[in-house]
Amino acid sequence: MEISDGETLAFDYLVVATGATPRLPGVPGQDLEGIFCLRNVTDAIRIRKFIDEKRVKRAVVVGAGLISLEMCEAFRRLGLETTVVYRKDLPLRRLGEDFAEQILTELETNGVAFMGETSLEGFEPTDTGGIIVHSSGGTFETDLVLLGLGVVPQVSLASEAGLGIGSTGAISVNKFLQTNIPYIYAAGDCCECFHRISQRPVYAPLGDIANKQGRIAGANIGGQNLSFPGIVGSTCFKVFNLEVASTGLTAEEAREVGLKAEAVTIQGVSKAHSYPGSRELHIRLVADTENGRLLGAQAVGGDGVVSRINGLAVALTGGLSLDELAYLDLAYAPPFSGAWDPIHIAAQKLLK
Amino acid sequence: MGKKLVVVGGGAGGPSAAAKAKRVDPELEVIILEGGEHVSFSA
């Protein structure tokens, strides 16, 4: 292969770990000073420096995914007036309207203005170093814009090298992380991974998955014979005082891949009712109506959300049924759950 | 002489692959190429 100084590098094995690049809105003025994406440490340092040096007071966040919502919290902590511009009506609608509304309430309670069903039209500089934002919801001024519109896999090198690109637009790999050229591997945000529940390749650009894929590719290059078992689609994030997590499929996603899915949602508590600091915890379980197998779970709440979802990620990986979940021997003590955990309660309700 | 591994990308997946390959096969010559300033910030 040829590198930027014109030098040629020979190799026996190659790992393509070119990552992903931020998706841009494609509107006029998107490259103005003060408009940022957040992808790496360099971006984070640039944003923080800009806020400090320009004495930024107002921020606009475009998009309402995980990075956008985490940045809302960061901006509010720095005292910035923060507005989200989003094309859909609610953030993270994938999790269901009820959960999305809780996320919206959490944003608004913490002083974030949310402009839903609003499309971005462009940016213009002001004479005083500000930025004019044009949108379907009106024109307004801000000091800083964060574009949080997701990422696209960086596959230009892979395409030039003739590597196979999958249906998701990312590099296609087998379970050993090999591309269609066996001595060329791929790992991380530039490549696809196999979703164990939908049984399809998916694009899941997350750092934890990248590490696992990288380690398995490296082990195989070193002479071992490891395979990556795929993902069940677990994610979590925190926005202000709300924890949000999910694993597996939503009922809608399950039906899209041809499964007969049913869901139930319960409101439980994160610790025993009587225990100080117990918070509401909402869990939705999704199961296959034909065989009672768990297909996915989504949860929001003030506390204890991620431990439940991680337990359910294990259940998904092991192919547990609702019968098994309903009486599963989860660890119990009042500081951590009720005697019946929200997982038991939800599984039993879905069995009825 | 050992074989040579070139890794394109120094984010998370690249360094994970490089480190593991080198641990499994210490004879391997490993080169990571990264266009940015920081390496392995999420690995």
Side-chain angles (χ1 to χ4, degrees):
Chain A
M1 68 182 300
E2 193 174 322
I3 55 178
S4 56
D5 59 4
E7 196 189 328
T8 302
L9 270 181
F11 57 82
D12 297 293
Y13 300 104
L14 184 71
V15 174
V16 179
T18 43
T21 48
R23 182 179 285 123
L24 295 171
V27 297
Q30 66 181 16
D31 301 321
L32 287 176
E33 193 193 5
I35 301 181
F36 298 92
C37 296
L38 176 58
R39 181 70 200 144
N40 51 39
V41 182
T42 309
D43 294 334
I45 292 169
R46 281 174 56 229
I47 293 168
R48 187 57 203 258
K49 199 169 162 220
F50 187 83
I51 290 171
D52 292 343
E53 286 181 357
K54 306 277 180 176
R55 300 182 198 283
V56 166
K57 300 273 189 297
R58 300 164 297 182
V60 166
V61 174
V62 182
L66 274 53
I67 299 281
S68 291
L69 300 188
E70 287 173 348
M71 285 304 284
C72 283
E73 184 179 341
F75 287 149
R76 290 297 296 143
R77 277 177 186 271
L78 292 171
L80 309 190
E81 191 184 291
T82 305
T83 304
V84 175
V85 174
Y86 188 44
R87 67 188 163 85
K88 294 188 191 169
D89 59 343
L90 288 167
L92 293 152
R93 236 196 185 287
R94 167 183 181 262
L95 301 177
E97 189 171 338
D98 50 349
F99 288 4
E101 273 172 359
Q102 289 193 51
I103 296 166
L104 175 59
T105 302
E106 187 66 17
L107 289 171
E108 291 178 339
T109 303
N110 288 282
V112 176
F114 185 84
M115 295 174 63
E117 294 181 293
T118 303
S119 55
L120 181 70
E121 290 166 355
F123 303 106
E124 266 182 277
T126 70
D127 299 338
T128 51
I131 298 162
I132 305 273
V133 181
H134 295 286
S135 79
S136 61
T139 291
F140 51 98
E141 192 181 331
T142 188
D143 304 315
L144 179 153
V145 175
L146 181 91
L147 300 172
L149 298 168
V151 295
V152 286
Q154 176 54 264
V155 296
S156 48
L157 177 73
S159 299
E160 280 170 37
L163 304 185
I165 305 297
S167 55
T168 68
I171 302 168
S172 180
V173 286
N174 65 17
K175 64 184 178 178
F176 305 109
L177 279 314
Q178 287 165 305
T179 66
N180 56 322
I181 301 176
Y183 55 88
I184 302 184
Y185 292 71
D189 293 0
C190 61
C191 78
E192 298 185 324
C193 48
F194 181 70
H195 195 295
R196 297 171 64 127
I197 310 302
S198 69
Q199 294 279 306
R200 291 175 187 205
V202 293
Y203 183 53
L206 296 165
D208 55 332
I209 298 170
N211 285 342
K212 291 167 197 159
Q213 290 180 322
R215 188 168 287 186
I216 286 172
N220 290 336
I221 290 164
Q224 293 184 342
N225 184 30
L226 298 187
S227 54
F228 183 56
I231 64 166
V232 292
S234 307
T235 57
C236 64
F237 77 103
K238 170 184 167 289
V239 59
F240 299 102
N241 297 305
L242 195 67
E243 299 177 358
V244 185
S246 75
T247 188
L249 306 176
T250 63
E252 202 178 359
E253 289 165 350
R255 290 180 199 121
E256 276 167 17
V257 296
L259 295 164
K260 289 203 169 61
E262 194 179 11
V264 72
T265 308
I266 64 119
Q267 180 185 326
V269 284
S270 65
K271 308 173 190 295
H273 282 280
S274 55
Y275 198 84
S278 185
R279 304 267 311 263
E280 269 181 28
L281 175 67
H282 302 256
I283 290 195
R284 177 150 41 243
L285 289 188
V286 182
D288 189 324
T289 51
E290 293 196 326
N291 55 18
R293 189 174 63 108
L294 180 70
L295 295 174
Q298 299 86 43
V300 295
D303 176 44
V305 168
V306 179
S307 63
R308 267 73 185 202
I309 289 297
N310 276 339
L312 291 163
V314 174
L316 271 178
T317 305
L320 295 200
S321 67
L322 290 174
D323 292 316
E324 290 167 303
L325 270 182
Y327 294 93
L328 187 64
D329 183 21
L330 295 167
Y332 158 68
F336 308 106
S337 75
W340 291 104
D341 191 89
I343 290 175
H344 298 131
I345 297 167
Q348 297 197 2
K349 188 170 174 193
L350 191 47
L351 276 169
K352 277 177 195 161
Chain B
M1 197 179 128
K3 288 190 169 181
K4 187 162 169 181
L5 164 63
V6 173
V7 175
V8 188
S16 297
K20 184 67 177 178
K22 186 75 181 173
R23 282 199 184 99
V24 175
D25 179 5
E27 300 291 308
L28 198 66
E29 184 190 346
V30 183
I31 297 174
I32 301 180
L33 305 175
E34 166 57 41
E37 306 167 59
H38 300 274
V39 165
S40 207
F41 54 84
S42 54

